[in-house]
């Protein structure tokens, strides 16, 4: 097992190197000069030249590339062109905001999606099955910004049950320690703030959960249907076991592998680019951070933030692979 | 799944459900403490050192943290006392400023003539990368030949003398701009990067904290020199990138003031008894630029024909909801030097056709029409306005293909002269005609802000003369003359001077929207 993990981590090096190179070349291929964008419409040509020199953009691309690579190897992700702050310092608060939202959304998606899928498979072709699968289809194809604005309108404005946007009560801001506000408020014993933080998570969390929820439900259903037809399920039922246990214990355990894969992939997606949700709900996350950076042609931020997201994506996949062997003892990594 | 895991899953489900239920039973938007203003806006600031940036979101905050030697008027860009209570000049070369006494910086140090000198020294010793605006407003830095400022010296504690190398007509307006705010020398001596995250000025509010992309909080400065101000205890600037989401937050009572309201939402706000609509005085222009180096726009008749062909009235009624004035000059009427005698090109397709025939295009031609990809105050919906222009042009036989790029690409390509005709606009910085006409249409700015590549020797001479002309009446004459040339040569189809909209909760008073877009909040309170 350990050697497997080691091997996987070693494989990561060429993957990430390739990523760095591709992203590096891609951001430079998009038209638009960062100095011009940073300095704005008012900038003089001299100001732009001076900015280019400071940013090192007047040097050949391969020198820029190796400098950047050298920096990464020393743990230096570069400095934002726009704010002049180290990217490493800037990334964490944004990443933390997205992680909190993504995990919350994923919990909703898994709980609802997995159960809907199981029940749909159990009562295949029942009205529940039909409705759940139609909802799942709608969920996959629903534009998030529309769902988000609708949710704001209904739950925040019409009923005033939930806040419209943001991570915290604006007038009573959370004092950030880890930047994961659930943890921060618990550390400080501010349970009133914790309550507010959870309330702020609900609308964007549901909006973000919609697509993975639908995908998980459909995958669980089809995977379950396959398992339910197998001999050992029939045997278990013939032995007179309660249907609930047959479904949730015997069948689901064997149907869980493809579901887990989907969950892993979706988690990566949520962490990487929840841009629309983050925009509608003014959520200061990594998706918006990258989007803003692209708009400002902030090369170091685009490169490094994408690199960090890619790294997380790969790590999630590794964790999912390791979980396989925990759940299904037939799978061994040697 | 074993029993233990079942239980933990069930527990988790319960937790989530109870949160949802608790939230549903919640008290809704909480009772707001009415000495805090939450100002919702579109984006975060990039820095809190105004001298280092050129972007408007920064100045919205810094105008409340720092003060300048001179101020703009409350609702216009006339020159008013600021940190300097009096000033005078005999020859337009030596300016003497008498400073306010008893003013303190937020860090407790005294504001005095020495502090002003140190601020100017800091800028003059910089470079274009560090202080881009200083360079464009004062011609360069310490050792540059073009640098306008000869010296800045202290005469005692409360007098500053600024000597210029040559007269600069907008000099007083320039030092009233937000970027030339006077900061505490002890703060910026700690280093530029440190300073822009820890701003220290003399303004009515002092800095508290900054959560990137989320909020900036400032609070009342107790030792502020103007007695009784500010009226609020705290202001929180909160970013909501999506216009509709920001309006939703305002309706829900989470914020008290929102800028960047879509013209289309104006009526909705007027119909809401809890809200008020606020109109910002216009200091902008939205236009269709015609790149004069690209045929057929190298012909004056073709450019004039475009002016006759476009139905501005329909555009303004449909997409600005009537909240804009039709434009005939490249700058709004509020700017001194505006030439009201210019006769606007009327909407007249027949005349346009005649001009096209005269220019040798009786059957029209094909062209690309660049549509702005982002909403701006001067152009709320580029794509839709482009469609109207397209159908207007079709009437005179011109086939326009609408193209659009993502914003930085759009600006980059347009500045390289790659567009036939492109939509763009400008919001003024200091309310001076030079900041519109020279910046947008002079040959010196080809490749930066003169996207049409238009040049005219006579007009260039007028602009250069106007820059050193200290006699205001003579200056006005020069700019009026320049507008006649621009009207005749028609490098643009000026479209509109829009009225940017803000909205606030009904009980907010004392808010005066400034044409520059940076609003001083010291008089704001809730009644």
């Amino acid at each position: 097992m350990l050697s497997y993990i080691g091997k996987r981590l070693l494989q990561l090096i060429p993957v990430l190197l390739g990523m760095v190179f591709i992203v590096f070349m891609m951001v430079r291929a998009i038209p638009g000069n960062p100095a011009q964008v940073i300095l704005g419409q008012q900038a003089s040509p001299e100001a732009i030249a001076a900015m280019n020199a400071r940013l090192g953009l007047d040097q050949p691309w391969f020198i820029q590339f190796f400098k950047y690579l050298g920096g990464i190897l020393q743990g230096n992700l570069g400095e934002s062109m726009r704010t002049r702050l180290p990217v490493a310092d800037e990334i964490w608060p944004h990443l933390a905001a997205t992680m909190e939202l993504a995990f919350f959304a994923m919990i909703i998606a898994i709980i609802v999606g997995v159960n809907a899928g199981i029940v749909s498979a159990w009562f295949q072709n029942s009205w529940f099955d039909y409705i759940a699968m139609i909802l799942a289809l709608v969920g996959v194809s629903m534009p998030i910004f529309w769902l988000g604005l609708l949710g704001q309108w209904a739950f925040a404005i019409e009923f005033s049950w939930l806040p419209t946007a943001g991570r915290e009560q604006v007038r009573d801001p959370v004092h950030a320690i880890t930047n994961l506000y659930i943890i921060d408020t618990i550390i400080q014993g501010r349970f009133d703030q914790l309550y507010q933080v959870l309330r702020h998570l609900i609308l964007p969390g549901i909006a973000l959960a919609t697509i993975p929820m639908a995908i998980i439900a459909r995958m669980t259903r089809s995977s379950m249907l396959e398992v339910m037809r197998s001999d050992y399920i029939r045997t278990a039922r013939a032995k007179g076991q309660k249907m609930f246990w047959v479904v949730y214990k015997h069948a689901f355990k064997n149907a869980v592998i493809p579901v887990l894969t989907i969950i892993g992939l979706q988690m990566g997606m949520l962490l990487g680019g929840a841009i629309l949700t983050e925009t509608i709900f003014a959520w200061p996350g990594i998706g918006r951070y990258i989007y803003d950076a692209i708009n400002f042609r902030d090369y170091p931020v685009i490169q490094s933030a994408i690199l960090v997201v890619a790294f997380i994506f790969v790590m999630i996949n590794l964790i999912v692979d390791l979980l396989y062997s925990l759940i299904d003892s037939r799978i061994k990594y040697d | 799944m074993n029993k233990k895991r079942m239980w933990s899953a069930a527990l988790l489900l319960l937790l989530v459900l109870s949160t949802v239920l608790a939230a549903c039973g919640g008290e809704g938007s909480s009772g707001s403490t009415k000495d805090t203003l939450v100002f919702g806006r579109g984006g975060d600031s990039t820095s809190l050192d105004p001298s280092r940036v050129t972007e408007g979101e920064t100045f919205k905050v810094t105008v409340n943290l720092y003060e300048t030697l001179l101020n703009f008027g409350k609702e216009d860009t006339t020159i008013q006392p600021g940190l300097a209570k009096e000033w005078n000049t005999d020859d337009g070369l030596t300016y003497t400023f008498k400073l306010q006494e008893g003013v303190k910086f937020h860090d407790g140090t005294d504001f005095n003539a020495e502090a002003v000198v140190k601020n100017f020294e800091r800028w003059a010793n910089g470079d274009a990368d560090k202080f881009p605006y200083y360079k464009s407003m004062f011609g360069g830095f310490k050792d540059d030949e073009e640098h306008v400022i000869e010296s800045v010296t202290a005469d005692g504690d409360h007098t500053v003398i600024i000597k210029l190398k040559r007269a600069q007509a907008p000099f007083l307006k320039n030092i009233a701009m937000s970027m030339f705010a006077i900061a505490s020398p002890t703060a910026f001596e700690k280093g530029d990067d440190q300073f822009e995250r820890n701003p220290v000025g003399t303004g009515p509010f002092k800095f508290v904290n900054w959560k990137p992309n989320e909020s900036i909080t400032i609070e009342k400065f107790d030792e502020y020199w103007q007695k009784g101000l500010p009226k609020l205890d705290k202001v929180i600037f909160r970013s909501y990138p999506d216009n509709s989401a920001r309006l939703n937050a305002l309706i829900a009572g989470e914020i008290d003031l929102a800028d960047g309201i879509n013209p289309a939402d104006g009526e909705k706000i007027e119909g809401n008894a809890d809200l008020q609509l606020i109109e910002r005085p216009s200091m902008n222009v939205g236009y269709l630029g015609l790149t004069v180096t690209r045929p057929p726009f190298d012909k004056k008749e073709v450019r004039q024909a475009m002016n006759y062909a476009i139905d501005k009235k329909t555009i303004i009624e449909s997409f600005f909801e009537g909240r804009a004035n039709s434009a005939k000059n490249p700058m709004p009427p509020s700017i001194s030097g505006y030439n009201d005698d210019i006769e606007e090109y009327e909407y007249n397709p027949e005349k346009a056709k005649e001009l096209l025939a005269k220019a040798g295009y009786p059957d029209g031609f094909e062209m690309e029409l660049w549509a702005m990809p982002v909403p701006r105050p001067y152009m709320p919906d580029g794509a839709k306005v482009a469609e109207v222009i397209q159908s207007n042009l079709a009437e005179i036989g011109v086939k326009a293909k609408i193209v659009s790029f993502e914003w930085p690409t759009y600006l980059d390509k347009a500045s390289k002269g790659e567009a036939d005709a492109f939509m763009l606009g400008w919001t003024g910085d200091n309310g001076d005609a030079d900041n519109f006409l020279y910046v947008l249409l002079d040959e010196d700015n080809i490749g930066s802000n003169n996207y049409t590549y238009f040049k005219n020797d006579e007009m260039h001479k007028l602009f250069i003369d106007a820059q050193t002309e200290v006699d205001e009446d003579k200056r006005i004459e020069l700019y009026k003359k320049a507008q006649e040339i621009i009207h005749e040569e028609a490098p643009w189809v000026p479209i509109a001077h829009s009225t940017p909209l803000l909205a606030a909760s009904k009980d907010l008073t004392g808010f005066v929207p400034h044409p520059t877009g940076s609003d001083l909040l010291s008089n704001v309170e809730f009644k």
Side-chain angles (χ1 to χ4, degrees):
Chain A
M1 186 69 126
L2 274 178
S3 74
Y4 172 75
I5 297 176
K7 230 188 277 167
R8 281 288 296 263
L9 288 176
L10 278 179
Q11 280 170 7
L12 227 116
I13 295 171
V15 170
L16 290 177
L17 261 179
M19 278 277 320
V20 174
F21 185 71
I22 291 169
V23 174
F24 182 90
M25 294 313 282
M26 266 166 61
V27 293
R28 276 160 182 76
I30 33 178
N33 176 317
Q36 171 80 62
V37 183
I38 293 163
L39 293 173
Q41 280 188 47
Q42 325 282 48
S44 62
E46 293 91 336
I48 290 171
M51 180 65 110
N52 275 330
R54 188 178 73 84
L55 300 173
L57 294 175
D58 51 349
Q59 294 169 335
W61 68 265
F62 51 89
I63 293 186
Q64 293 181 40
F65 180 69
F66 285 110
K67 273 194 175 161
Y68 176 60
L69 206 59
I72 292 179
L73 293 178
Q74 292 163 23
N76 176 6
L77 292 179
E79 180 184 273
S80 161
M81 291 178 175
R82 192 158 73 110
T83 61
R84 292 176 283 264
L85 288 177
V87 177
D89 295 356
E90 276 194 349
I91 279 186
W92 173 245
H94 291 97
L95 190 62
T98 296
M99 275 167 68
E100 199 164 59
L101 179 61
F103 277 113
F104 189 81
M106 211 59 208
I107 290 170
I108 300 177
I110 292 172
I111 292 175
V112 179
V114 165
N115 285 298
I118 291 175
V119 177
S120 291
W122 183 357
F123 301 107
Q124 196 192 355
N125 298 329
S126 68
W127 60 267
F128 181 90
D129 183 24
Y130 289 130
I131 291 175
M133 286 308 113
I134 288 169
L135 282 181
L137 193 67
V138 174
V140 180
S141 34
M142 178 113 66
I144 287 201
F145 69 90
W146 184 79
L147 183 76
L149 286 173
L150 192 77
Q152 278 183 358
W153 171 78
F155 296 103
I157 296 182
E158 288 301 313
F159 301 128
S160 347
W161 288 345
L162 293 169
T164 61
R167 293 181 73 187
E168 59 186 350
Q169 190 112 18
V170 186
R171 289 170 221 271
D172 179 22
V174 173
H175 176 67
I177 300 171
T178 64
N179 281 295
L180 293 163
Y181 285 1
I182 292 186
I183 295 177
D184 289 349
T185 49
I186 293 175
I187 294 175
Q188 294 165 56
R190 289 292 304 271
F191 293 101
D192 55 328
Q193 282 192 338
L194 174 66
Y195 170 71
Q196 291 299 342
V197 167
L198 288 172
R199 279 173 42 127
H200 279 84
L201 275 164
I202 294 173
L203 278 181
I206 290 173
L208 196 57
T210 310
I211 289 177
M213 193 193 302
I215 294 176
I216 290 169
R218 288 164 56 139
M219 181 51 86
T220 311
R221 179 178 179 271
S222 61
S223 176
M224 283 290 288
L225 282 177
E226 209 169 295
V227 174
M228 300 267 280
R229 285 194 205 101
S230 55
D231 291 342
Y232 75 96
I233 296 293
R234 213 175 310 136
T235 314
R237 289 185 63 186
K239 276 163 58 184
Q241 284 213 10
K242 277 222 178 86
M243 191 60 185
F244 184 83
W245 290 117
V246 174
V247 169
Y248 272 86
K249 198 176 168 194
H250 300 293
F252 183 64
K253 192 175 171 188
N254 288 290
V256 80
I257 295 281
V259 175
L260 203 61
T261 311
I262 287 290
I263 290 174
L265 284 174
Q266 290 296 318
M267 191 66 210
M269 306 268 244
L270 293 192
L271 284 174
I275 298 169
L276 276 177
T277 311
E278 288 176 1
T279 302
I280 300 291
F281 290 98
W283 198 269
I286 191 99
R288 245 178 78 204
Y289 181 58
I290 294 176
Y291 177 81
D292 284 350
I294 292 173
N295 259 334
F296 277 90
R297 301 289 186 268
D298 196 339
Y299 295 167
V301 173
I302 307 173
Q303 284 159 198
S304 301
I306 292 182
L307 192 66
V308 168
V309 170
F311 178 76
I312 294 174
F313 201 98
V314 177
M315 291 311 285
I316 290 175
N317 275 326
L318 177 61
I319 294 168
V320 168
D321 285 355
L322 296 177
L323 280 178
Y324 290 165
S325 68
L326 274 181
I327 290 167
D328 189 339
S329 46
R330 287 170 304 178
I331 299 175
K332 290 227 177 351
Y333 302 110
D334 288 321
Chain B
M1 208 182 249
N2 61 27
K3 252 187 203 164
K4 216 171 174 182
R5 276 194 221 160
M6 276 293 300
W7 275 114
S8 50
L11 208 67
L12 207 60
L13 185 71
L14 203 70
L15 188 80
V16 172
L17 270 178
S18 59
T19 325
V20 175
L21 289 175
C24 293
E27 75 276 56
S29 58
S30 76
S32 50
T33 43
K34 283 302 190 181
D35 43 15
T36 298
L37 170 77
V38 185
F39 189 160
R41 56 186 186 146
D44 199 8
S45 305
T46 52
S47 163
L48 288 176
D49 175 358
S51 59
R52 293 187 75 176
V53 294
T54 55
E55 149 271 347
E57 292 301 340
T58 287
F59 305 132
K60 278 181 196 164
V61 180
T62 61
V63 74
N64 291 293
L65 295 174
Y66 302 94
E67 289 169 300
T68 38
L69 282 183
L70 301 176
N71 286 340
F72 289 130
K74 242 180 148 181
E75 292 169 68
D76 53 31
T77 52
T78 56
I79 296 299
Q80 306 292 334
L83 284 173
K85 55 184 175 187
E86 290 162 30
W87 62 96
N88 62 61
T89 175
D90 298 328
D91 48 5
L93 287 176
T94 304
Y95 287 86
T96 308
F97 296 90
K98 291 255 179 262
L99 305 183
Q100 295 283 357
E101 291 172 30
V103 177
K104 281 205 182 299
F105 287 109
H106 303 155
D107 59 6
T109 55
D110 286 325
F111 163 78
N112 53 28
E114 198 49 45
V116 177
V117 172
K118 280 188 177 158
N119 272 274
F120 274 90
E121 272 173 4
R122 173 178 182 238
W123 300 323
N125 286 324
D127 55 45
D129 163 32
K130 266 189 175 163
F131 304 118
Y133 250 115
Y134 186 84
K135 151 118 197 146
S136 42
M137 303 325 278
F138 298 118
F141 296 93
K142 205 173 173 186
D143 300 325
D144 297 344
E145 207 173 303
E146 294 293 296
H147 189 204
V148 172
I149 297 178
E150 164 96 51
S151 66
V152 181
T153 44
D155 177 15
D157 259 3
H158 301 287
T159 307
V160 172
I161 298 164
I162 301 183
K163 284 202 171 107
L164 304 186
K165 289 182 191 162
R166 55 176 193 281
Q168 186 189 38
F171 175 69
L172 291 176
K173 277 192 171 155
N174 286 348
I175 59 172
M177 291 167 73
S178 290
M179 25 266 142
F180 305 116
I182 304 301
S184 159
T186 49
F188 62 67
E189 273 159 11
K190 285 180 189 154
D192 293 335
D193 292 341
Q194 174 70 19
F195 172 59
E196 67 185 337
R197 303 276 137 183
N198 298 288
V200 182
T202 59
F205 294 92
K206 61 182 185 188
F207 174 73
V208 178
N209 75 9
W210 184 356
K211 293 182 176 179
N213 270 332
E214 204 167 351
S215 62
I216 292 176
T217 305
I218 60 178
E219 69 183 15
K220 181 178 189 162
F221 175 45
D222 288 327
E223 288 161 82
Y224 185 55
W225 59 279
Q226 294 196 46
K227 292 291 162 246
L229 296 180
K231 294 180 176 164
L232 291 164
D233 275 353
K234 210 190 242 182
V235 180
I236 301 171
F237 295 89
R238 179 87 176 75
S239 338
Y240 294 82
D242 185 76
N243 282 2
S244 315
R246 195 176 326 117
L247 181 60
N248 279 345
L250 179 72
I251 296 172
E254 289 160 29
I255 58 178
D256 309 302
L257 178 64
D259 73 0
I261 296 293
N262 294 328
D265 290 324
E267 270 182 44
K268 186 170 160 190
I269 293 160
E270 283 170 329
N272 185 326
D274 299 328
L275 300 179
Q276 53 178 319
L277 189 68
I278 300 170
E279 294 187 333
R280 188 187 289 290
S282 175
M283 199 166 85
N284 62 40
V285 59
Y287 64 93
L288 181 73
L290 309 169
T291 310
V292 301
T293 48
R294 298 173 73 90
F297 298 108
D298 52 348
K299 288 205 165 78
K300 182 169 89 180
E301 289 81 9
V302 174
R303 301 196 297 262
Q304 289 175 337
M306 299 287 283
N307 271 282
Y308 281 117
I310 293 172
D311 181 5
K312 293 185 227 176
K313 218 175 135 205
T314 304
I315 292 174
I316 289 169
E317 272 168 20
S318 317
F319 305 112
F320 292 79
E321 307 286 322
R323 293 179 205 276
N325 296 316
S326 168
K328 59 180 179 182
N329 285 318
M331 62 185 198
S334 57
I335 306 284
S336 85
Y338 181 80
N339 191 339
D340 209 15
D341 298 332
I342 298 275
E343 202 175 316
E344 187 168 3
Y345 288 102
E346 53 180 342
Y347 171 55
N348 189 338
E350 288 312 312
K351 209 154 184 180
K353 275 191 212 161
E354 274 169 36
L355 281 164
L356 279 190
K358 208 170 131 196
Y361 297 94
D363 304 321
F365 52 86
E366 289 183 11
M367 61 174 277
E368 279 190 357
L369 172 63
W370 288 27
M372 271 182 57
V374 289
R376 281 289 179 276
Y378 48 73
M379 194 65 69
D381 193 335
K384 284 187 182 150
V385 173
E387 281 170 26
V388 176
I389 295 177
Q390 185 185 41
S391 73
N392 284 160
L393 293 179
E395 279 173 45
I396 60 163
V398 173
K399 260 195 206 142
K401 185 176 153 232
I402 297 178
V403 284
S404 195
F405 302 92
E406 168 255 4
W407 187 227
T409 310
Y410 185 97
L411 287 177
D412 190 47
K413 288 170 87 81
S415 76
K416 289 181 181 143
E418 291 176 26
D420 291 334
F422 57 89
M423 293 158 73
L424 212 60
W426 183 259
T427 300
D429 293 309
N430 59 358
D432 195 86
D434 184 72
N435 185 255
F436 277 86
L437 301 181
Y438 172 76
V439 169
L440 299 173
L441 286 157
D442 191 75
E443 59 185 70
D444 291 350
N445 290 309
I446 287 176
S448 64
N449 286 310
N450 180 352
Y451 294 84
T452 59
Y453 283 65
F454 177 68
K455 59 191 284 187
N456 179 298
D457 294 337
E458 195 189 346
M459 184 185 77
H460 177 66
K461 195 174 170 308
L462 292 171
F463 287 155
I464 298 303
D465 288 348
Q467 283 174 346
T468 49
E469 178 57 68
V470 197
D471 183 334
E472 188 64 20
D473 293 337
K474 284 188 193 153
R475 259 191 111 211
I476 285 174
E477 278 317 304
L478 296 173
Y479 284 122
K480 284 195 168 167
K481 190 89 213 321
Q483 285 164 82
E484 283 167 23
I485 296 170
I486 295 163
H487 181 76
E488 172 65 21
E489 292 290 326
W492 288 12
V493 182
I495 295 175
H497 307 297
S498 76
T499 307
L501 297 179
L502 299 96
S505 67
K506 198 95 197 176
D507 55 352
L508 185 93
T509 59
F511 178 77
V512 184
H514 200 267
T516 57
S518 315
D519 307 310
L520 183 64
L521 300 169
S522 51
N523 275 302
V524 175
E525 63 184 326
F526 293 94
K527 61 177 179 219

